């Protein structure tokens, strides 16, 4: 079945450590996105990539980094510079970036807790 | 900017009809989406409106009025499994067609 796989589902991190969240899709989608979800707030865009080897900052990119070396993969690194990293992270993909009636398909999410 | 408002919580009875409203303010409106999200799971796509009017999909319908900056999601014949959060999202041409999400409406269906 086609879909988006995020791992790990749960992750605990000590302050000062970098962690990388994995996101893999087999939908042959061009565009991939990372969102952060916090209680009482809407999904907020961290980074997005519309093509391999290219990505753009979203609204809350500070303290995060990404890479897009392969079409299928868009890992997110939460660095120690991110002041409040505890959150639910959602990866998504779509066929052609933000244009047209493209629907976002989401992964199951990764819940990061900083101890 | 984008201001997307939806009620925080709603409760409805199994078998009934519920309407979840969403209002938005954006200068570059380019579509409104509804997603369903069960706790701890991925949001799943429900409906898309870009023109005024009603879109029907089985038990779920979505309505859009662009002049009023208003949409609603209508759920008929409610089932217990419909208990979930419902996210309203608007796409904005002026920011490269980015999606902007509301905080979500948590719907509880009671017997």
């Amino acid at each position: 079945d086609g879909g988006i796989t995020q791992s790990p589902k749960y992750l605990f991190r000590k302050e000062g450590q970098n962690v990388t969240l994995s996101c893999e899709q087999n939908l042959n989608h061009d565009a991939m996105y990372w969102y952060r979800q916090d209680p009482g707030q809407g999904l907020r865009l961290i980074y997005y990539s519309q093509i391999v080897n290219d990505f753009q900052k979203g609204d809350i990119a500070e303290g995060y980094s990404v890479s897009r070396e392969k079409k299928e993969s868009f890992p997110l690194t939460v660095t120690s510079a991110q002041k409040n990293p505890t959150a639910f992270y959602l990866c998504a993909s779509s066929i052609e970036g933000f244009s047209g009636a493209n629907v976002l398909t989401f992964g199951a999410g990764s819940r990061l807790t900083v101890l | 900017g984008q201001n997307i408002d939806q009620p925080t919580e709603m409760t409805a009875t199994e078998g009934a009809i519920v309407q979840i409203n969403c209002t938005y303010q954006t200068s570059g409106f380019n579509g409104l989406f509804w997603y369903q999200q069960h706790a701890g799971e991925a949001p799943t796509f429900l409906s898309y409106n870009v023109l005024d009017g009603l879109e029907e999909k089985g038990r779920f319908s979505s309505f859009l009025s662009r002049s009023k900056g208003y949409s609603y999601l209508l759920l008929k014949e409610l089932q217990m499994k419909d208990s979930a959060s419902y996210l309203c999202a608007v796409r904005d041409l002026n920011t490269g067609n980015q999606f902007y999400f509301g905080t979500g409406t948590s719907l509880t269906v009671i017997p």
Side-chain angles (χ1 to χ4, degrees), chain B residues 51-70:
Chain B
L51 300 177
D52 291 351
L54 189 67
E55 294 283 339
E56 296 189 76
K57 256 187 184 183
R59 293 191 300 116
F60 291 40
S61 303
S62 57
F63 171 83
L64 175 68
S65 169
R66 287 172 297 169
S67 62
K68 294 182 180 177
Y70 168 68

Side-chain angles (χ1 to χ4, degrees), chain A residues 37 40 42 45 98 100-102 104 107, chain B residues 35 37 42 91 96-98 102-103:
Chain A
Q37 188 172 36
L45 183 64
F98 288 118
N102 291 322
L104 293 175
Chain B
Y35 282 83
Q37 185 180 25
R91 195 163 53 203
N97 265 321
Q98 281 192 43
T103 56

